[in-house]
Amino acid sequence: MSGTPPHPPRYVLTPAGKKLVTVIPGDGVGPEIVQATRRVLEAAHAPIEWRERRAGAEVFREGLASGVPASTVESIRETRVVLKGPLETPVGFGEKSANVTLRKLFETYANIRPVRELPGVKTPYTGRGIDLVIVRENVEDVYAGIEYRPTPGVAEALKLVTRKGCEKVVRLAFELARAEGRKKVHCATKSNILKFTEGLLKRTFEDVSKEYPDIQAQHIIIDNCAHQLVKAPEQFDVIVTTNMNGDIISDEGSALVGGLGFAPSANLGNDVSIFEAVHGSAPKYAGKNVINPTALLLTAVLLLRHLEEFDIATQVENAVVATLAEGKVATRDVVGDVIAASTSAFADAVIENLGKAPPADWKERRYRAMRLPQVTSAPGMVVARSRRTIGVDVFLESTLSAAALGGSVAPLAAGTPFKLHGISNRGTKVYPPSESMMDQVDHWQCRFLLSDPKAEAEEKALLDLVQRVSAKHRWCATQRLEEIDGEPNFTRPQAED
Ligand code: NAP
């Protein structure tokens, strides 16, 4: 791809042949599971040099609004790989989650959640052979966190989806499928309703899939995907999806194979990758040495594969699986409080089982290093062949009725190149009057389009129109309306013919 940056190394090797990893013990049960995991990796002779750094609750309480100190950021930049315990945002300190800050700071654009049936972990799906990976876009969508209250009673969030973001995550899903010898990638979207945003992921998927003829590519509507995951999860291999959809179906996925105690994850980026269990800091168990460390141990297996330590990864995975299958040492979430083993006892049992073969029904997968997709770093990734400004949407706050507002706003365009095309309320056309029985609020979208459909709107005329409208009504926002490559860059409201 033109403008593609060079492939950065995925990890840093020390002169002694070790691989650098920043480790953040985190909050609540974090230090216990991180300690258990480090002990297992050390016993497996994983060639890792740890750089321990802080982030989370304590850092917030010290007054740092991001919850992530500069020394931690610096270490992550240097090592490029992180093993992280869960982080809390204490109420009253900091507005933003330190987890989200870390994901965004380092553009870890893909969240990977393997969902695999584990021997010895009884669920209603036991025996069905669930073995899939959910690849969730990790930094865009409504998680861009751009929200407004245009009027006191109305709230909105910007659902931001980009071609660049879609390309990265879709390519990564196909590369992951190849690296793990998987045959099928589903793309799950709500493109039937959200044609531009969710539709962008679908269109990108359709384009990129042509470069991967060895992998079967299929689109699925997200609600059906959620339904199929419960009904027949074994049909899926890899699912790629937008951030919010992925947030929901990946938790659904964890529940299919035993829940939070067993759910690993990786946040992958081209410069930095952050490995963490799905679960949080489980504060009520903090310091009690009772939490299940399996989720973080399986996360460490993902980390080892990222470090290209495939044999050690398989050895640790086999030892975890063998320990679960034996069921002699199990934590309270699996066997209840009475006969439960501690976090550290479970880690000891895994260490004891290092080198053991997994149970016969555990199929060992062959892995190879995943190629991280390189997408251009230039901001303007998509260049249109043609563009033409054809109008403007002016969002207004008003307690007038639709008819009264229309009667007031329409004449304001007199003598300008524009005419009032229509007014919508909550996405439905209400002026000129429609059959809609939708209840209305004080937030209106007034659409002005050029009277001459072949003309091009001038900036001065656009601003003049907005000024005329704002002289009579309180405006909240404006949006330029264009044709891009001959297609409108806006959707039409419901009930518009
Ligand atoms: P949580 O910490 O995941 O815990 C919820 C419940 O899930 C626990 O009480 C426990 O259930 C079960 N659980 C979680 N981890 C387990 C494990 N390893 N083994 C066995 N059971 C486990 O969720 P939360 O209470 O909603 O969140 C607590 C804090 O963590 C919040 O501050 C939140 O913001 C933060 N958080 C951080 C991350 C992250 O760092 N990535 C992710 C999620 C949440 P039972 O009570 O039934 O035993």
Side-chain angles (χ1 to χ4, degrees), residues 26-30 32 85-88 279-286 291:
D27 300 316
V29 298
E32 299 157 52
L87 304 180
E88 282 171 23
H279 65 78
S281 59
K284 69 179 176 188
Y285 299 119
I291 208 82

Side-chain angles (χ1 to χ4, degrees), residues 131-441:
D131 182 6
L132 60 102
V133 183
I134 296 171
V135 180
R136 160 187 170 192
E137 197 291 318
N138 211 23
V139 291
E140 295 193 343
D141 199 345
V142 289
Y143 295 74
I146 307 170
E147 292 192 291
Y148 299 101
R149 285 177 64 198
T151 81
V154 174
E156 62 185 23
L158 193 64
K159 182 174 168 79
L160 196 86
V161 179
T162 69
R163 171 75 191 203
K164 198 191 257 188
C166 291
E167 264 209 47
K168 286 183 182 181
V169 75
V170 166
R171 287 181 185 281
L172 189 135
F174 280 105
E175 291 295 340
L176 177 131
R178 275 190 180 162
E180 300 199 353
R182 295 178 182 270
K183 297 280 166 260
K184 211 169 19 174
V185 179
H186 277 87
C187 173
T189 77
K190 194 70 187 168
S191 57
N192 50 332
I193 302 295
L194 298 167
K195 298 199 189 316
F196 287 171
T197 50
E198 293 277 321
L200 188 49
L201 186 75
K202 178 172 183 277
R203 285 192 299 281
T204 308
F205 179 74
E206 287 161 356
D207 292 346
V208 170
S209 64
K210 294 187 189 113
E211 296 172 34
Y212 296 85
D214 49 320
I215 311 278
Q216 200 188 317
Q218 200 175 325
H219 178 259
I220 185 168
I221 300 287
I222 184 66
D223 33 342
N224 184 31
C225 180
H227 166 239
Q228 293 294 332
L229 270 170
V230 172
K231 198 173 151 205
E234 58 279 6
Q235 71 183 288
F236 292 107
D237 212 353
V238 176
I239 303 172
V240 61
T241 189
T242 47
N243 205 340
M244 176 89 129
N245 293 333
D247 196 358
I248 297 165
I249 65 162
S250 52
D251 270 25
E252 183 188 2
S254 326
L256 300 174
V257 291
L260 287 175
F262 302 94
S265 89
N267 300 289
L268 300 184
N270 288 352
D271 298 313
V272 165
S273 292
I274 302 174
F275 295 80
E276 61 183 333
V278 168
H279 65 78
S281 59
K284 69 179 176 188
Y285 299 119
K288 295 196 173 142
N289 194 24
V290 295
I291 208 82
N292 186 352
T294 302
L296 197 68
L297 286 167
L298 294 177
T299 299
V301 171
L302 301 179
L303 168 93
L304 287 165
R305 291 198 176 114
H306 184 80
L307 297 175
E308 297 174 275
E309 294 294 339
F310 296 103
D311 292 343
I312 301 177
T314 301
Q315 196 193 9
V316 172
E317 185 172 58
N318 287 348
V320 172
V321 166
T323 309
L324 292 170
E326 287 166 5
K328 288 188 288 197
V329 181
T331 46
R332 55 168 295 288
D333 52 319
V334 182
V335 290
D337 282 318
V338 181
I339 54 165
S342 63
T343 307
S344 47
F346 186 85
D348 291 340
V350 172
I351 291 169
E352 191 84 352
N353 279 336
L354 284 170
K356 239 194 192 168
D361 56 352
W362 178 263
K363 193 175 129 260
E364 270 185 42
R365 233 173 217 296
R366 291 182 66 80
Y367 294 86
R368 62 177 173 75
M370 181 173 43
R371 210 179 66 95
L372 286 168
Q374 299 298 301
V375 174
T376 174
S377 57
M381 181 181 182
V382 180
V383 181
R385 290 184 304 279
S386 69
R387 297 176 72 167
R388 185 167 69 96
T389 299
I390 57 171
V392 62
D393 276 351
V394 185
F395 291 83
L396 298 179
E397 177 179 354
S398 174
T399 50
L400 292 176
S401 68
L405 188 66
S408 163
V409 167
L412 299 173
T416 76
F418 304 96
K419 63 174 193 281
L420 179 68
H421 179 75
I423 301 181
S424 318
N425 195 288
R426 294 160 77 215
T428 299
K429 183 184 157 196
V430 292
Y431 183 88
S434 69
E435 296 301 310
S436 165
M437 292 170 66
M438 285 278 288
D439 196 6
Q440 286 157 19
V441 297

Side-chain angles (χ1 to χ4, degrees), residues 421-474:
H421 179 75
I423 301 181
S424 318
N425 195 288
R426 294 160 77 215
T428 299
K429 183 184 157 196
V430 292
Y431 183 88
S434 69
E435 296 301 310
S436 165
M437 292 170 66
M438 285 278 288
D439 196 6
Q440 286 157 19
V441 297
D442 57 358
H443 183 238
W444 308 84
Q445 178 186 11
C446 303
R447 175 156 294 171
F448 295 92
L449 292 176
L450 285 168
S451 308
D452 173 1
K454 295 214 165 60
E456 160 110 48
E458 287 179 10
E459 292 301 305
K460 190 175 165 318
L462 274 178
L463 296 174
D464 177 48
L465 175 68
V466 174
Q467 214 157 26
R468 283 176 180 229
V469 177
S470 63
K472 277 201 90 171
H473 298 278
R474 184 187 175 84

